[in-house]
Amino acid sequence: GGGPGIDGGIKLAVRGDRVAVVGTFMHTATFQGQALTSAGAQDIFISMHDAATGALQWVAGGGGLTASDRPYGVTIASTGNVTMVGEFSGTVQVAGDVLTSMIDPQTGTPSVDVFIATYSPAGEPLWTLRGAAKYTDRAIDVVNDPADNIYVTGQFSDTIQFTVPHPNVMYNASFLLKLDPDGHEQWFRRMGGAVYNHVRDMQWASTGELLMVGDVQGNMVFLDSVPNFVSSGDPHAYYLLRVDHNGQLAGDTVVSSMNPVSGRAVDERDGLVTVLGEFKCQFTSMVDSLQTGLWSATGIQDLFVVQHASDSLYVIKGAQQFGGRQEKLAGQVASLNDGSPVFCGSFEDMIVFPCQGSFTADIASTFPPHGLMAPNTAGYCDDPYYGSFAADTSNGLKDGFIARGF
């Protein structure tokens, strides 16, 4: 679907024979014949589709007159209810309710606040919840557990209120909120205090716990019943957290670097946790831990996939780097039945994939180089597979891709 403005999908959720998609649109956008008109700026959409055919089952919009509103996460419960989370500013209408953000005391203008909205399987609004605070706050992701409880994570500064206020003196801290299926608050956890900390993605794992990935610089404290510290060690790191259904930290690890690194997406299958992310310059801990290859970015930043053992997150089972001359952005990652990661993202100019043995590609580019390149001498950079790779060039400013690793 789409229209004359800038429209785009941001995240999707799959459950059974249904696929939910959330994103943004401008002006009037058409979704398989059904039109949505924005309230004035960039607005929110949520759509439900048949998983087999992609046929639209229903679509709904939301937003306000002036500010840009944005969803970041979506999940489908076993009942078929679907929950969407994100950010809004000013006065907006979402899921049939009118929400108004707080005023930022520093600017005198509307702040950015959190919204949580749940719809029935037929697309009827059920309930909404606002997370209100003085400054910029947003929900980053949302998942259901097997009992259909709802977990929301995001960023906030100062005191934030959902059902009750949660005092906070940390700047740009992360939060983890548990709601029952009807939107009643169960517990709230804070994590922050580092030079920089930012949650990026979350999943309910097959082990019956939450998996969370994000970035940390310095010492981050996770405030559960007994506060726990998560330290980056080196100046930059991505973290992995295991959190139980009561909000207690059950395990954690960091993968650090002397240079910028960011964990952007996480997926778990059968005890194997996969992280997709980005790094700049050299990913120093990969060199130290794997003792193979240079792990130096070939462009503005490169992409990586790292696989961890879910019971011992610090154990790295494997890692791959994906390079190219210009910017590359990590999207999302999922795992096949055999544990192989499938991931997506975007790139400028060129993207290079490591490969061994057979490699297949659907190359969209009409410009070389593309396809398999001639291998280098075996053992180049102390990596027996370093010399075997494939590359493709972009057709425009940024192209999208989907790939299978390992």
Side-chain angles (χ1 to χ4, degrees), residues 150-163:
I150 300 165
Y151 301 82
V152 181
T153 190
Q155 297 293 118
F156 76 114
S157 297
D158 205 86
T159 297
I160 191 169
Q161 178 165 345
F162 291 94
T163 305

Side-chain angles (χ1 to χ4, degrees), residues 359-384:
F359 178 88
T360 60
D362 180 6
I363 303 298
S365 175
T366 57
F367 306 103
H370 50 72
L372 283 172
M373 292 182 172
N376 292 301
T377 304
Y380 185 68
C381 292
D382 300 320
D383 188 333

Side-chain angles (χ1 to χ4, degrees), residues 137-217:
D137 317 288
R138 57 177 54 92
I140 299 295
D141 205 6
V142 58
V143 298
N144 289 109
D145 67 14
D148 290 334
N149 295 301
I150 300 165
Y151 301 82
V152 181
T153 190
Q155 297 293 118
F156 76 114
S157 297
D158 205 86
T159 297
I160 191 169
Q161 178 165 345
F162 291 94
T163 305
V164 298
H166 300 285
N168 171 53
V169 296
M170 297 181 290
Y171 176 75
N172 199 26
S174 302
F175 70 82
L176 179 60
L177 170 70
K178 181 179 181 179
L179 305 170
D180 72 13
D182 296 319
H184 301 127
E185 189 171 330
Q186 304 300 295
W187 49 253
F188 181 92
R189 300 288 182 264
R190 309 163 187 79
M191 43 190 158
V195 175
Y196 178 81
N197 42 255
H198 198 301
V199 64
R200 301 292 185 182
D201 196 23
M202 180 171 64
Q203 186 189 49
W204 185 264
S206 62
T207 54
E209 298 170 310
L210 288 165
L211 277 172
M212 305 175 69
V213 68
D215 305 330
V216 60
Q217 299 174 27

Side-chain angles (χ1 to χ4, degrees), residues 232-252:
S232 66
D234 290 334
H236 306 270
Y238 76 78
Y239 64 75
L240 267 175
L241 308 180
R242 290 171 35 227
V243 183
D244 70 18
H245 68 282
N246 291 316
Q248 302 299 305
L249 185 65
D252 66 89

Side-chain angles (χ1 to χ4, degrees), residues 2 12 28-29 35 55 76 85 97 169 171 194 200 219 239 262 307 335 341 348 350 366 370 394:
L12 59 79
T28 296
I76 304 174
V85 302
D97 285 340
V169 296
Y171 176 75
R200 301 292 185 182
N219 296 313
Y239 64 75
S262 178
Q307 294 191 309
S335 302
E348 293 179 352
M350 175 187 286
T366 57
H370 50 72
S394 65

Side-chain angles (χ1 to χ4, degrees), residues 255-272:
V255 180
S256 62
S257 180
M258 296 299 294
N259 306 298
V261 61
S262 178
R264 293 286 171 156
V266 65
D267 186 70
E268 180 271 341
R269 182 182 287 269
D270 297 333
L272 194 62

